[in-house]
Amino acid sequence: MNITELQQSLRQLRLGGMAAVLETRLRQAQAEPMAPIDLLSCLVSDELTRRSDRLLDRRRKEAGFRDANRTLDNFDFGFNPKMNRSLVFDLATCRFIERREDALLLGPGGTGKSHLGQAIGHAAILQGHRVLYREAHVLLEELADAVAEGRRKKYMAELTMVPLLIIDDFGMRKLPLTAAEDLLEIVMRRYERASTLLTSSRVVEDWGKLLGDTAAVGAMLDRLLHHGHVLKCGPRSWRTKTAATTE
């Protein structure tokens, strides 16, 4: 069996990582030289790395982040120095996901809530968790589409099972009349089963008026806050700073 045939066989065995580097590793083994066990070890490592990278890519795509590059590495904590950095990094360890706890990121618009929410989502994926990111109005639109297409039960089951659901920009746009009922059901289904991270520029006292159902909002907050972590973002806004520097 020559190299080309061996590569084809490896791909048939779904060992594409090995196939891709086989020729390079064989040349390395001849040049160094390498013991057979070291060559095999390198090939197996190459395959595992490729599979890990592909899994991360799939999970990032599945998450549906709005901004693919929002990580903690490029977040400027110095802009709002009073922000609770310790809580941010504690959330990024994802222990709250393992404990099936929730998180609320609250503060004025432009203070980094969406950035931090997505950054925590990226951290969760790196630590092996599945994540689903949706802006609040998009989540409810998808649920409405699922209802219209007769697959509401399946869609709600998917929302219930994902280890981390990030609901971003709650209160930024007008929501449908069923929003309070739908969001309460999502939160209730996930309560103590999986983690929900919600960001909002609206203070929680306004949520009842926003959704038009004070009782539903109260029940939703009871569950989110029972095992919840609250991060207050701000007060300075990046958007205000950007607007000022461009004038």
Side-chain angles (χ1 to χ4, degrees):
M1 183 179 292
N2 58 35
I3 292 178
T4 300
E5 292 171 337
L6 184 54
Q7 288 172 325
Q8 291 175 345
S9 297
L10 288 170
R11 291 191 178 96
Q12 287 177 351
L13 291 170
R14 298 184 179 179
L15 297 172
M18 285 188 181
V21 299
L22 177 62
E23 188 170 355
T24 300
R25 289 301 189 189
L26 288 174
R27 288 178 178 174
Q28 179 184 1
Q30 292 172 344
E32 292 191 1
M34 295 174 66
I37 188 65
D38 293 331
L39 171 60
L40 183 59
S41 178
C42 286
L43 288 169
V44 170
S45 179
D46 292 332
E47 179 65 34
L48 291 174
T49 298
R50 178 166 173 155
R51 291 191 180 194
S52 177
D53 290 344
R54 285 186 169 182
L55 177 61
L56 291 176
D57 288 341
R58 283 200 306 271
R59 287 190 169 171
R60 291 188 183 107
K61 184 176 181 179
E62 176 189 33
F65 295 117
R66 182 178 63 197
D67 306 299
N69 299 319
R70 294 293 190 259
T71 67
L72 291 182
D73 291 338
N74 55 33
F75 185 80
D76 184 3
F77 285 97
F79 187 67
N80 278 304
K82 292 185 179 181
M83 184 181 294
N84 188 345
R85 298 189 190 190
S86 178
L87 177 55
V88 173
F89 286 104
D90 186 59
L91 292 172
T93 66
C94 299
R95 287 194 295 266
F96 82 106
I97 300 175
E98 296 164 5
R99 297 192 294 256
R100 298 176 179 85
E101 297 170 348
D102 303 311
L104 295 179
L105 276 56
L106 307 175
T111 54
K113 301 179 300 298
S114 293
H115 187 142
L116 289 174
Q118 292 177 90
I120 291 167
H122 281 292
I125 288 173
L126 288 173
Q127 294 175 59
H129 300 287
R130 288 177 55 243
V131 175
L132 183 65
Y133 167 92
R134 291 293 185 272
E135 294 170 283
H137 71 281
V138 173
L139 179 71
L140 294 171
E141 286 171 0
E142 289 184 356
L143 179 56
D145 290 341
V147 171
E149 296 167 7
R151 47 184 186 82
R152 185 182 192 278
K153 183 177 181 180
K154 180 180 178 181
Y155 184 75
M156 290 297 291
E158 292 172 353
L159 290 182
T160 302
M161 295 301 296
V162 66
L164 177 61
L165 172 64
I166 301 173
I167 304 175
D168 198 10
D169 287 340
F170 173 70
M172 288 290 289
R173 299 195 189 188
K174 186 176 181 179
L175 299 176
L177 296 176
T178 59
E181 179 181 338
D182 292 336
L183 287 171
L184 176 59
E185 181 179 354
I186 291 169
V187 170
M188 288 181 66
R189 282 173 174 259
R190 295 178 57 78
Y191 176 62
E192 296 186 333
R193 294 184 180 89
S195 295
T196 303
L197 186 155
L198 187 148
T199 81
S200 179
S201 59
R202 304 287 289 268
V203 295
V204 294
E205 290 81 7
D206 289 347
W207 288 12
K209 185 186 299 183
L210 175 68
L211 294 176
D213 191 332
T214 303
V217 167
M220 183 170 69
L221 282 171
D222 282 345
R223 287 161 177 80
L224 288 173
L225 295 174
H226 182 207
H227 303 295
H229 306 270
V230 179
L231 176 69
K232 294 182 179 180
C233 301
R236 299 174 66 199
S237 168
W238 277 102
R239 297 191 189 105
T240 302
K241 177 189 177 185
T242 302
T245 57
T246 56
E247 288 179 354

